Amino acid sequence: MVVAVLPNLDKRGAADMVEKIGAFLKQEGITAYLPDSICCPDYLHAPDSELYSLADIIITVGGDGTIIRYAKRAALDNKPILGINAGRIGYLANIEQNEYKLLSKLKTGEYHIEKRMMLDVRVCENGKTIGQYNALNEIVVTSGFMSRIIDVAAVVEGDSINYRADGLIVSTPTGSTAYSMSAGGPIIDPTTENICITPICSHSLSAKPILLSSERTIKLKAYSKKKTEIFLSVDGRKAANVKPYTEIFVTKSDKSVQLINLNNKSFYKTLSAKFSDVRSG
């Protein structure tokens, strides 16, 4: 059994957690790698680009952003990933820092894997593809300025759904507990496969989130009458500028993220616990 540990050392407690994990995995007879940019005993080291081929399992230490970053890369190599929460909410992390000894189950195979769908995003200008991306949570088309309304058309099966809003979110079920939820979108069981369109602060009382089959292709076009800059972001990172002639195609990816579940926590139990944490915080 070989694992690669990919931490976000900016997170509180992450460095100590990496040391504890290294000692514990060595004790359990599990070979563990770290990126060669991080020095720590009890680990082997390799360049980031080689870790995914060396490891059977990827372990992250950080928040949801850390998991998303590495999970999308792991999906390309068909490698499962386990998140140890060192962030605030951590919907995607399966175990907390004080549960790290559950990692012994990786060796005995006492875990199951949840597959999460991703989105493929293709950005075109004048018929030419200028960018391609993968999203685990969502893509967002939005204005670069606060309180600037933009017009976004979502074309599905040849029919256009038009929004005047601060922006538009297209999310996966996994992303339904992220930005989409904050914008009034529904919470969706992450093991299902569908696509949700959620407007951000729509200038229409009738504009509501729409749930689509994952087999649909969505084409987005956006413009601003005030010539406001418009941006596309993918999983919270800016990806491209959106011009009036830019077309954004969104489809279900043929790759999926494999999240390891060590403690048999259901999505609903996790959701309830995280909501309680937010209220108490």
Side-chain angles (χ1 to χ4, degrees):
M1 167 68 66
V2 179
V3 303
V5 178
L6 301 174
N8 181 351
L9 297 179
D10 292 332
K11 294 294 184 180
R12 183 178 179 182
D16 289 341
M17 190 75 261
V18 169
E19 291 186 3
K20 289 179 181 178
I21 291 171
F24 181 73
L25 293 176
K26 185 175 182 180
Q27 174 187 312
E28 293 294 313
I30 299 174
T31 301
Y33 277 86
L34 269 178
D36 55 12
S37 58
I38 303 173
C39 294
C40 188
D42 300 319
Y43 288 93
L44 299 176
H45 295 79
D48 291 39
S49 59
E50 296 179 13
L51 292 174
Y52 298 91
S53 59
L54 289 170
D56 302 305
I57 290 171
I58 308 298
I59 299 173
T60 68
V61 182
D64 280 351
T66 304
I67 298 173
I68 289 170
R69 175 186 172 189
Y70 293 122
K72 292 194 291 185
R73 176 64 180 81
L76 298 179
D77 288 290
N78 198 31
K79 297 296 176 70
I81 188 164
L82 170 71
I84 300 176
N85 187 31
R88 293 187 62 189
I89 297 180
Y91 284 110
L92 294 177
N94 182 241
I95 62 175
E96 301 297 324
Q97 294 184 55
N98 62 358
E99 298 177 301
Y100 72 91
K101 291 188 177 180
L102 290 174
L103 294 175
S104 61
K105 291 185 176 183
L106 296 178
K107 188 176 180 180
T108 59
E110 298 175 72
Y111 61 87
H112 67 272
I113 291 176
E114 294 179 0
K115 288 191 175 182
R116 303 289 183 90
M117 70 167 278
M118 295 196 298
L119 299 175
D120 283 339
V121 185
R122 184 164 57 91
V123 181
C124 298
E125 289 185 359
N126 298 319
K128 295 183 179 180
T129 299
I130 63 168
Q132 292 181 287
Y133 311 91
N134 298 113
L136 176 56
N137 265 4
E138 77 279 301
I139 73 158
V140 181
V141 176
T142 187
S143 163
F145 296 91
M146 293 181 62
S147 303
R148 288 287 180 89
I149 292 175
I150 61 174
D151 292 272
V152 187
V155 181
V156 183
E157 298 291 307
D159 294 318
S160 182
I161 307 167
N162 300 306
Y163 296 92
R164 296 206 73 211
D166 284 358
L168 197 70
I169 304 166
V170 180
S171 72
T172 65
T174 297
S176 71
T177 53
Y179 195 2
S180 178
M181 180 181 72
S182 299
I187 295 174
I188 306 169
D189 186 320
T191 59
T192 61
E193 294 193 345
N194 41 60
I195 303 173
C196 186
I197 299 175
T198 305
I200 306 169
C201 298
S202 173
H203 195 59
S204 171
L205 295 176
S206 61
K208 302 295 182 183
I210 299 175
L211 201 60
L212 303 173
S213 162
S214 63
E215 302 306 313
R216 300 290 187 232
T217 295
I218 302 168
K219 181 175 75 173
L220 301 177
K221 296 191 71 175
Y223 68 93
S224 169
K225 293 181 179 179
K226 295 184 178 181
K227 297 183 179 180
T228 300
E229 281 192 295
I230 302 173
F231 301 109
L232 166 69
S233 62
V234 178
D235 286 335
R237 295 177 179 268
K238 180 183 172 182
N241 290 348
V242 178
K243 303 177 179 66
Y245 49 84
T246 301
E247 295 180 323
I248 302 166
F249 295 89
V250 185
T251 57
K252 175 190 170 186
S253 175
D254 61 358
K255 299 288 186 180
S256 60
V257 167
Q258 302 175 62
L259 294 181
I260 291 175
N261 189 329
L262 287 179
N263 55 18
N264 293 318
K265 285 182 184 176
S266 70
F267 166 69
Y268 306 101
K269 187 174 182 179
T270 300
L271 191 67
S272 177
K274 299 302 180 182
F275 278 174
S276 297
D277 290 344
V278 170
R279 287 195 296 269
S280 62

